[in-house]
Amino acid sequence: QVRLVESGGGSVQSGGSLRLSCAVSGYTYSRYYMGWYRQAPGKEREEVAAIESGGKITYADSVKGRFVISQDNSKNTLYLQMNNLKPEDTALYICAAGIGQYEANHWGQGTQVTVFS
């Protein structure tokens, strides 16, 4: 059983910053993949950033240069630093883990991010 709990969302003005956190608990062995997804109303869920156990990091083109994914294994916490936020970044941000595989198979409930102009 893996539990993912996000925090750090909120409302921020365009150009501002937020840092999201995802606390991971439960069975955390064979955790090959950790990532952040987002889902805006009427849109499909998209992967925003991901980090694999070997250290490979990927970003969606829309957030490259603005978002940074990181993790603190000693705290079992995943982070997403979001800078220069834009209104189009408004979405529910969801933490995901891949246990035993290199893609997400466990999901958190999400934290809302709203960016106003």
Side-chain angles (χ1 to χ4, degrees):
Q1 187 77 13
V2 176
R3 186 168 183 235
L4 306 172
V5 180
E6 303 94 335
S7 61
S11 294
V12 63
Q13 193 169 19
S14 182
S17 298
L18 285 172
R19 188 175 84 152
L20 306 183
S21 298
C22 173
V24 185
S25 61
Y27 183 82
T28 58
Y29 298 101
S30 301
R31 193 172 71 200
Y32 296 160
Y33 166 99
M34 292 293 301
W36 288 97
Y37 284 71
R38 67 186 180 188
Q39 186 158 24
K43 294 188 178 181
E44 291 189 1
R45 183 178 294 186
E46 65 168 338
E47 183 185 83
V48 173
I51 183 167
E52 295 182 358
S53 56
K56 179 183 176 182
I57 292 176
T58 56
Y59 295 98
D61 287 343
S62 58
V63 307
K64 280 181 182 177
R66 300 189 297 122
F67 290 11
V68 178
I69 188 172
S70 63
Q71 60 184 355
D72 185 336
N73 290 326
S74 67
K75 297 181 179 179
N76 278 327
T77 302
L78 180 74
Y79 301 100
L80 184 68
Q81 177 66 43
M82 306 187 295
N83 301 318
N84 190 22
L85 283 160
K86 304 176 181 180
E88 51 263 43
D89 294 318
T90 295
L92 182 69
Y93 283 72
I94 303 160
C95 176
I99 306 300
Q101 62 185 46
Y102 286 93
E103 59 182 17
N105 55 8
H106 291 81
W107 305 87
Q109 294 297 307
T111 184
Q112 179 67 37
V113 172
T114 301
V115 184
F116 56 92
S117 56

